[in-house]
Amino acid sequence: MRLRELLDIGELRLRLRTGEQALDRPIRWVYLTELVETGRYLSGNELVLTGLIGPGLRQDPEALVDDLVNAGAAALGVGLSIHDEIPEAVLEACRRRGLPLIEVAGDVSFGTISEIVTRRLTAERAAGLATVLGRHRRLISSVAEGSGLAEVFALTRAELGRGCWVLSPTGRIVVGPGEGLPEARRLAADYLTAERLPAVVDGPYTLLPINTRAGHRVAGWFLVCAGELVDVPEEVRESAYELAALAALERARLEEGRKVERRLVAELLDQVVTEPAEVAARMRTCGLEPAKPYVAVALQLAGSDGVEVLEEMLPGAAAVAGPEGEAVTVVAAEDVAALVGGLRDAAVLLEPALTKERLTVGVSAPAVGPSLLFGAVEEARHTRRLAGARRGGRAHVVTSDEIHSHALLLATVPDGVRRSFRDRLLGPLQDYDLEHHSDLVRTLSAFLENSGSWNRCAAQLHLHVNTLRYRIRRIEELTGRDLSTLEDRVDFFLALRAL
């Protein structure tokens, strides 16, 4: 693909700001970056896309532009999703070095650009591979300009007389003949539970893995071919494996596109940012309208890439790795029941593939507005942890309205408020314990655990009842609270759980 061909794609609405003399430059690949030193990762003729997120890229772009030119980049594309216009310093640096500069409208995603370019490049590379293998077929040469995997798969069926599909572990058809595959969910279940791959299942269909990672099939696609691949012409068998290779390339391309989306979600969930206006702006950058309902979803699956699994269970969402190995995302929730239903269907399908691992998913209640974002994320994470305590089965999807607990209540309270409440109530006790080597905080916890029973608490702590009474009086004196009242007991209980 030439640079002028890319600019002629109307749906992308790309605008060339400088570099008219280089319109015949070939584009070999698309690379997404927010790094100044990008050249080391390039091999020449790449279209480099950036959002200029880092201040260094906006204020001093000379190093980035020089690095790209020295690495042989075809052009630089700058997205306007965060900035209203391309900084003049960037434009001047590209003009000075003769690097074509393309302006990308704020509503055009880098993923869309990468997808369109890769479709064409995939068709070209697939054509070359077919020629090298000596299989003079019309499979690739007949693909119209700009066509991608869908057309390749359709032509494969026309030439070989059999259908092939790429499926996800949840039974989603990624690509394949237009009439679909009614057995998709059943084939996904067969794939997840097959003792070995390739496998032949009822239909008959042959199942080939595409990019299984770390032994976990729940995080990879697979190829379905109608019929068996035994006792068939060699070119039929080669075509199946060729399609699997092309699908792996497509998956890798999608992963590259996801990196920018995941970075934007990570910035959205960065709790250092608390100004509502900035949070709202970051929500819009991630495709979320602050005035409309959204939910947070947290997932954990030991021994697997939870981010990929969560993105597969919620097609179109971008997730990030959170604390404790969780994957977390925030998605629009116009129909929460349908969203939760889809998650549960996917969990049911994935469960047979889980041996010792447990898949737990927590979904927050719908929230509206930037001020509730972090509370929704904490609510989803706490719900997921509480879901992990459920017995029976290895996969659980739980919503916050199914769990009534003080832990869920605390999850919706901002960290700063929790810390302030805890420190104000327990701070005097902690300071006293530190100075006098006493044990007032543990005594208070035991007293509440035993529902205020003097005898049971004294026995648990191996104390005389009078000693326990002395400690409780000291706690009341230091805090100004009365442990004989339910209200103060509840406050202490919540403060201890906020530790």
Side-chain angles (χ1 to χ4, degrees), residues 123 138-148 151-152 155:
R138 298 186 309 106
L139 174 62
I140 307 301
S141 61
S142 298
V143 177
E145 183 182 7
S147 60
E151 288 79 3
V152 172
L155 289 171

Side-chain angles (χ1 to χ4, degrees), residues 301 305 310 400 424:
L301 175 61
D305 189 338
L310 181 53
S400 60
R424 188 167 60 251

Side-chain angles (χ1 to χ4, degrees), residues 438-462:
S438 57
D439 214 3
L440 295 186
V441 173
R442 190 168 76 93
T443 300
L444 173 62
S445 178
F447 185 73
L448 296 176
E449 287 175 3
N450 287 280
S451 302
S453 170
W454 298 99
N455 291 330
R456 288 202 307 271
C457 183
Q460 178 180 325
L461 296 175
H462 306 290

Side-chain angles (χ1 to χ4, degrees), residues 146-299:
S147 60
L149 282 182
E151 288 79 3
V152 172
F153 273 59
L155 289 171
T156 299
R157 176 168 191 173
E159 288 200 1
L160 303 181
R162 63 178 67 205
C164 293
W165 298 262
V166 174
L167 267 62
S168 75
T170 59
R172 177 174 63 91
I173 299 177
V174 179
V175 66
E179 68 272 18
L181 188 64
E183 306 95 327
R185 284 183 59 85
R186 192 261 298 174
L187 291 171
D190 290 340
Y191 162 75
L192 290 168
T193 56
E195 292 185 5
R196 63 182 63 185
L197 296 169
V200 177
V201 298
D202 291 342
Y205 294 97
T206 301
L207 312 181
L208 300 173
I210 289 177
N211 54 354
T212 303
R213 296 186 179 182
H216 275 284
R217 298 176 188 174
V218 296
W221 292 348
F222 66 101
L223 182 73
V224 176
C225 290
E228 300 185 31
L229 296 182
V230 179
D231 298 327
V232 297
E234 184 63 23
E235 78 165 23
V236 174
R237 194 158 39 247
E238 284 184 358
S239 294
Y241 283 95
E242 178 184 333
L243 289 176
L246 290 174
L249 180 63
E250 174 75 357
R251 178 67 180 254
R253 195 273 306 167
L254 290 175
E255 279 298 303
E256 285 299 316
R258 286 282 187 193
K259 288 181 180 178
V260 171
E261 297 177 13
R262 290 168 181 166
R263 187 179 299 119
L264 293 175
V265 173
E267 292 178 355
L268 171 64
L269 301 184
D270 184 355
Q271 298 197 22
V272 172
V273 179
T274 57
E275 176 61 38
E278 186 171 356
V279 175
R282 294 192 176 194
M283 290 178 71
R284 293 189 183 94
T285 301
C286 294
L288 295 171
E289 176 52 54
K292 294 184 178 181
Y294 57 85
V295 297
V297 183
L299 175 147

